Amino acid sequence: MKKIGLFSIALLAMGLVSCNQDFETIFEPQTNAPESPLQASDVTVAASSATAINLADFIDEEAGTSTPIPVGTISVKEGAMPANTTLKAEVEFSTDPDFGEVITLEGNINERNEITVDPTVLQDKYFNEVTRNPASTTLYMRALLYTVTDGTSVAIVGNPKESKFAARSVTFSPLFKVQISPAYYVIGAAGGWSADGARTQKFSHSNKDVYEDPIFSIVVDTGGDDCWFAIGDDAALDAVASGDWTKLFGTKGASEDMEGNMDFRYNLGGDHSFHVLGAQKIRITLNMMEYSYKIDPISVADAYYVVGGLQGWSDSQKTCLFTPEEQKNVLSYTTKWTGAWDLKVWDANSFGNWDAAWGCVVDGDNSPSGALINSGAQAISAPSAEFYTFTIDMNTMTYTWTKLDNQNPTEYQNISLIGEFNGWGGDFELTQVTPHNWYAVFTQETDGQLKFRANHDWGVNWGYGNDKDWDVSESFNKIGTNGGGNIWVPAGTYAVYLNDITNSMLILAQ
């Protein structure tokens, strides 16, 4: 809630109670502001008898009319009002009984000395400064009184810090109905412009109450360098299936705006679709409390790296390479983690640029899963200091931790390469860069075959299929087997990785 009230001024406080009641006003004069010519002890306020405010009782939307909300009636001791002096009022509303944060409305004083507030102003301020949730809630109210002398000299009646008052509450029911649907979809982009296609492009949500968590997000394929799309809920997609496109959301700004506010097409009076150029994937984030959106292009890379505590947070050492899984753009890394600020993720195109690193929303989050972001990304922590597989899904921009059943995997003293490059008679050593992950940069002088092996012995060695089934010029990763076929490696320089738990082998040309 936005703080607007005047906290350095004195106030006449009153509560809304179930019967009319006069409250004694006990104030000390202010020393740092003009003193009112009207003494607080000469003023009382009879609070309204209402115990509830339902804006539907005060605003007629169809007629476009409204009725002032009564707050209370002012009584001034006879003869106490100075000459050429009138009263004005403000009314403070708060969800906090101590009025730590308030919204302030101008109070109107009519000829019967009744204080009222404009219900449409209250609606707008509550909507913009408190919440868009349409549920009824408890509000606390109080009035501030001022004297105006000769039409210009304004002074406060009393001092809020010294005042004694009986604050009362009312049940407040907003009139506005902020519509947040349980689900939203992208229509257009790679999914096409059919309702069925849109339902394959559903926004993710936390499954909390949508008024508590109004954030929805999705990562979609654009379907090309020139992407158009709109956004809708189930009702909008049902309408599209019947030929009515007006219930979709469009942008209130320019189609190419990457962030802004949106509204229904029937309010916008046209198509107003979103337009993104030159991106293979985009992440769309909605705040349905504000009807706002943000679009972030996503760099799709062939390789992703761990950067974090296990590799010294180095922005130059590409020693920890994710293993691609069977599903495209899903990758994993398995090791024993520290359980505290373990990592961020860099793609091969952005390695070394901290602004482009992927991470989580809350620094050190050790949740078992979460969303990946690369704007203000924070370090991700493992749930505990144990062996986990950390998996990233770059299709949905999410991550998960999976704890290994075996927390005592076989230890090897060394892992090395052996092959035609050394006549199958020696070993090119790899370095264990994180627990059970081995790395080296290796130059193959001429085309030839090689394998990985442990402890300089053939008892445990890693290959794939039959000899030459894996040509690293065609793919850089395979899952090895003990005694598998020799690997065909064309001449060149390679970054070489092996995980001795998952048997992941990666040979990436440099």
Side-chain angles (χ1 to χ4, degrees), residues 384-403:
S384 58
E386 296 176 274
F387 283 96
Y388 285 86
T389 295
F390 178 75
T391 303
I392 57 174
D393 186 337
M394 303 309 288
N395 300 304
T396 60
M397 294 294 107
T398 56
Y399 65 86
T400 56
W401 293 95
T402 304
K403 187 176 178 179

Side-chain angles (χ1 to χ4, degrees), residues 212-234:
E212 293 181 8
D213 179 13
I215 307 301
F216 295 76
S217 64
I218 189 173
V219 175
V220 294
D221 291 318
T222 60
D225 291 336
D226 189 7
C227 173
W228 291 86
F229 65 91
I231 294 166
D233 59 8
D234 282 294

Side-chain angles (χ1 to χ4, degrees), residues 262-301:
M262 58 188 190
D263 202 346
F264 295 102
R265 284 183 174 183
Y266 56 73
N267 289 328
L268 297 171
D271 183 282
H272 292 265
S273 291
F274 305 89
H275 188 203
V276 178
L277 292 166
Q280 295 177 347
K281 288 180 178 289
I282 53 174
R283 182 183 184 90
I284 308 166
T285 305
L286 306 180
N287 183 335
M288 295 308 296
M289 276 290 187
E290 302 174 352
Y291 279 13
S292 65
Y293 68 91
K294 188 173 187 295
I295 303 169
D296 294 300
I298 294 173
S299 174
V300 180

Side-chain angles (χ1 to χ4, degrees), residues 451-452 461-465 470 479-487 505:
K451 299 185 78 172
F452 295 88
N461 68 89
W462 290 268
Y464 178 79
W470 180 21
I479 300 300
T481 57
N482 189 11
N486 298 335
I487 305 161
M505 306 180 295

Side-chain angles (χ1 to χ4, degrees), residues 179-185 187 195 199 231-249 264 266:
Q179 179 188 348
I180 304 182
S181 299
Y184 291 93
Y185 308 85
I187 184 168
R199 286 195 165 91
I231 294 166
D233 59 8
D234 282 294
L237 297 189
D238 289 343
V240 165
S242 300
D244 178 5
W245 296 76
T246 65
K247 295 181 180 180
L248 294 171
F249 281 105
F264 295 102
Y266 56 73

